[in-house]
Amino acid sequence: MTAGFAGANILVDPNGFKAGEGWKLDVVVASQLVKRYNGLEAVKGIDFAVRARECFGILGPNGAGKSSTVNMLIGLSPVTAGELRVFGLDVRTAARRIKRRLGVVHQDNNLDPELSVLQNLVVYAGYFNIARKAALNRGRDLLEFFDLTAKAGERVENLSGGMKRRLTIARALINNPELVVLDEPTTGLDPQARHLVWQRLFQLKEQGVTLVLTTHYMDEASQLCDRLVIIDQGEILEEGTPRELIARHIGTEVLELGRAAGETGDLVTTAGPLIHGHQVVGDNLVLYPRDSRALLQAFQGRRLARLLLRPATLEDVFLKLTGRGLDS
Ligand code: ADP
């Protein structure tokens, strides 16, 4: 790693600081935040707080209101009602001051395809009034961090999807932001490319950068997020660490059974008090065991198309809360 890369330690703008209100700890605070488009209420009065140096996730299916939330946060879309503060500053009145300290990774890469990889960074640095020499140095450091040094002179259009994504994240870091907001950072990437992005985001967090990301991938949320909110239809359903949420709603494991039509009631009866809940997912019945071993034994000898005991996931939590999957 190259020097000068870590996020700044001072996370609070003294002009925005309000003694006793906890801004020092919380980089983002949303209270009763609402986004309305004409008649549609996309965000329905949500509350959340992002702590310094954590990776905070907004997990939910398509249309849940994730982008609407982050677009208000990054000053791209006006707040309809409620309050939203970043670094203790009101996004309504201090957008420019916030933007200087913020990095944004949109869903679309929107890189300049005509320019080289390094030029993309240098041109972007110009928007932050970073001098050319400093921009070149910083750009090269960022390319190194994102394994793109060998591509510095390459035109962007010749990069793979994963490389473009890494370059887009690198670009968002050109101004050394304290907070980086990423909207669906790995959508459309293959598993290997996703893992590389996750690794780099994890390293950024280790260096003290606060991350807010939206995702509809439960594995992304589990891997990266220290805390998250689960959002659906503009409302926050739950908040906590991935582990807490899974433990609170499901436990450690679930048992998936293949079910024939009309068989659900019988299977649930067999499970009896050995489960604390169940969900039907297509041809599968998902059981939430109180005692996994005893539950497995209860189905021994029974002819089932599927019998799988597996670790519980955030997808199970979402399913239990809404009756739907995250991809539905
Ligand atoms: P997500 O990011 O979770 O997929 P969005 O915030 O994009 O969800 O969308 C939430 C809801 O708001 C959806 O019903 C979507 O169609 C609607 N919506 C989003 N942006 C606009 C817009 N600019 N104008 C009107 N409706 C919008």
Side-chain angles (χ1 to χ4, degrees):
M1 239 337 284
T2 43
F5 196 76
N9 287 330
I10 300 161
L11 287 158
V12 177
D13 183 325
N15 298 319
F17 179 70
K18 289 189 176 180
E21 291 189 31
W23 300 124
K24 203 165 196 169
L25 287 175
D26 296 333
V27 178
V28 179
V29 178
S31 341
Q32 291 300 298
L33 182 65
V34 174
K35 180 69 202 182
R36 222 173 280 125
Y37 305 101
N38 300 319
L40 178 86
E41 201 165 51
V43 178
K44 300 175 180 163
I46 62 173
D47 298 293
F48 63 88
V50 179
R51 298 174 193 153
R53 295 166 170 259
E54 74 177 350
C55 178
F56 183 85
I58 302 176
L59 174 69
N62 286 329
K66 304 183 296 295
S67 296
S68 299
T69 303
V70 297
N71 286 344
M72 290 189 279
L73 208 161
I74 63 178
L76 196 65
S77 162
V79 169
T80 306
E83 202 179 0
L84 185 56
R85 287 181 172 270
V86 181
F87 310 124
L89 302 167
D90 190 331
V91 295
R92 285 191 175 93
T93 52
R96 292 183 77 175
R97 282 161 70 199
I98 293 168
K99 269 181 195 166
R100 282 204 294 267
R101 301 162 64 184
L102 190 68
V104 176
V105 180
H106 294 285
Q107 269 183 50
D108 310 324
N109 291 324
N110 70 339
L111 296 161
D112 192 328
E114 308 267 300
L115 297 180
S116 76
V117 165
L118 184 57
Q119 280 167 340
N120 259 277
L121 299 183
V122 172
V123 167
Y124 197 72
Y127 300 129
F128 294 95
N129 295 323
I130 299 170
R132 188 171 165 80
K133 186 145 186 264
L136 276 168
N137 285 337
R138 175 103 182 121
R140 290 200 182 101
D141 284 353
L142 286 166
L143 292 186
E144 190 182 322
F145 181 68
F146 283 99
D147 299 332
L148 289 168
T149 299
K151 302 285 174 188
E154 193 80 56
R155 279 160 71 101
V156 160
E157 59 193 0
N158 297 329
L159 300 184
S160 69
M163 288 175 183
K164 283 183 188 156
R165 203 85 268 263
R166 283 174 358 239
L167 180 58
T168 306
I169 301 173
R171 191 182 57 176
L173 297 169
I174 201 81
N175 57 326
N176 225 329
E178 297 149 54
L179 169 66
V180 179
V181 179
L182 307 105
D183 199 2
E184 301 272 356
T186 66
T187 294
L189 298 189
D190 62 51
Q192 202 186 353
R194 293 178 75 201
H195 276 93
L196 194 47
V197 168
W198 290 350
Q199 267 176 26
R200 291 299 175 267
L201 292 179
F202 188 78
Q203 282 175 276
L204 278 179
K205 197 189 71 165
E206 296 280 286
Q207 290 168 28
V209 179
T210 306
L211 301 175
V212 172
L213 65 91
T214 74
T215 185
H216 65 278
Y217 294 127
M218 62 89 190
D219 52 344
E220 183 155 280
S222 304
Q223 294 263 346
L224 280 179
C225 298
D226 300 298
R227 291 191 312 123
L228 56 98
V229 287
I230 297 180
I231 177 170
D232 188 36
Q233 298 178 5
E235 288 179 298
I236 289 176
L237 305 181
E238 256 297 7
E239 179 189 336
T241 70
R243 201 185 276 227
E244 270 168 12
L245 294 180
I246 292 166
R248 191 180 304 156
H249 291 278
I250 312 287
T252 51
E253 292 172 318
V254 299
L255 184 67
E256 279 188 21
L257 304 180
R259 76 188 177 105
E263 212 183 4
T264 304
D266 182 30
L267 293 172
V268 171
T269 306
T270 304
L274 296 173
I275 59 170
H276 62 88
H278 70 275
Q279 278 287 340
V280 173
V281 191
D283 291 338
N284 282 332
L285 175 66
V286 181
L287 301 176
Y288 310 136
R290 290 186 204 283
D291 178 339
S292 303
R293 305 296 134 191
L295 186 62
L296 264 181
Q297 272 187 353
F299 289 98
Q300 287 262 302
R302 193 142 167 175
R303 287 177 66 87
L304 292 158
R306 181 181 174 83
L307 179 79
L308 173 68
L309 186 67
R310 61 162 176 81
T313 67
L314 284 172
E315 180 94 32
D316 294 309
V317 175
F318 186 79
L319 188 68
K320 186 172 181 202
L321 293 173
T322 66
R324 289 177 289 117
L326 276 161
D327 276 326
S328 61

